[in-house]
Amino acid sequence: LLALTAFICIETIMECSPCEGLYFFEFVSCSALVVTGALLLLFSLNLHTRIPQINWNLTDLVNTGLSTFFFFIASVVLAALNHKTGAEIAAVVFGLLAMAVYAVNTFVAVQKWRMSSRQQSSRQSSDYMRARTESREVVQRPEMQRLDA
């Protein structure tokens, strides 16, 4: 919602003389809104379970991390190049708020990704230990006799 609000604020600006900061902020806020919205839709409808080949925890982590970084850069650039209009100031404030929310979400995504990678590695090591133990078990079969010389 904060990315949408920042995007709406930036779209209400009628004039700009150095427009590069405004265009970059517009690109960042729109891109974050679209990508996050698509991921939200995938997770809400449980469509991510149909594509198990993708590491969804890592995908969410990358999205939130990049959105945090780019919202920070875009907000700082827009703050430095703005003309002190109400819409530009509001866009900077909402951009920084969106960056803060994305940063918190990045922290949560890192924790979730670490937990899932630990579970996966412990599952692999337990499978290895089970296979190793089974290979060491000797089954006494009558057709195999030990020859003592």
Side-chain angles (χ1 to χ4, degrees), residues 107-118:
F107 176 76
V108 171
V110 165
Q111 299 299 324
K112 194 175 181 182
W113 178 67
R114 283 183 179 168
M115 188 173 15
S116 70
S117 64
R118 280 187 203 141

Side-chain angles (χ1 to χ4, degrees), residues 54-97:
I54 297 175
N55 185 344
W56 291 105
N57 292 330
L58 184 60
T59 303
D60 188 36
L61 173 62
V62 168
N63 174 50
T64 57
L66 288 177
S67 295
T68 302
F69 175 73
F70 283 118
F71 259 115
F72 175 73
I73 298 298
S75 296
V76 168
V77 168
L78 186 62
L81 298 179
N82 74 15
H83 298 94
K84 310 287 188 263
T85 64
E88 287 175 324
I89 293 170
V92 169
V93 168
F94 282 111
L96 290 172
L97 287 173

Side-chain angles (χ1 to χ4, degrees), residues 40-149:
L40 180 65
L41 189 67
L42 279 169
F43 287 127
S44 297
L45 297 176
N46 263 347
L47 296 175
H48 66 286
T49 57
R50 296 180 183 218
I51 310 171
Q53 296 85 2
I54 297 175
N55 185 344
W56 291 105
N57 292 330
L58 184 60
T59 303
D60 188 36
L61 173 62
V62 168
N63 174 50
T64 57
L66 288 177
S67 295
T68 302
F69 175 73
F70 283 118
F71 259 115
F72 175 73
I73 298 298
S75 296
V76 168
V77 168
L78 186 62
L81 298 179
N82 74 15
H83 298 94
K84 310 287 188 263
T85 64
E88 287 175 324
I89 293 170
V92 169
V93 168
F94 282 111
L96 290 172
L97 287 173
M99 180 216 51
V101 171
Y102 274 114
V104 169
N105 198 2
T106 301
F107 176 76
V108 171
V110 165
Q111 299 299 324
K112 194 175 181 182
W113 178 67
R114 283 183 179 168
M115 188 173 15
S116 70
S117 64
R118 280 187 203 141
Q119 288 174 349
Q120 185 179 12
S121 67
S122 68
R123 193 175 335 130
Q124 288 174 347
S125 65
S126 67
D127 288 345
Y128 169 76
M129 292 302 291
R130 183 179 45 79
R132 187 173 172 206
T133 304
E134 288 176 358
S135 68
R136 289 184 176 196
E137 292 176 358
V138 178
V139 179
Q140 297 295 330
R141 292 189 274 177
E143 63 271 7
M144 296 181 70
Q145 296 177 357
R146 185 172 176 173
L147 299 174
D148 291 329

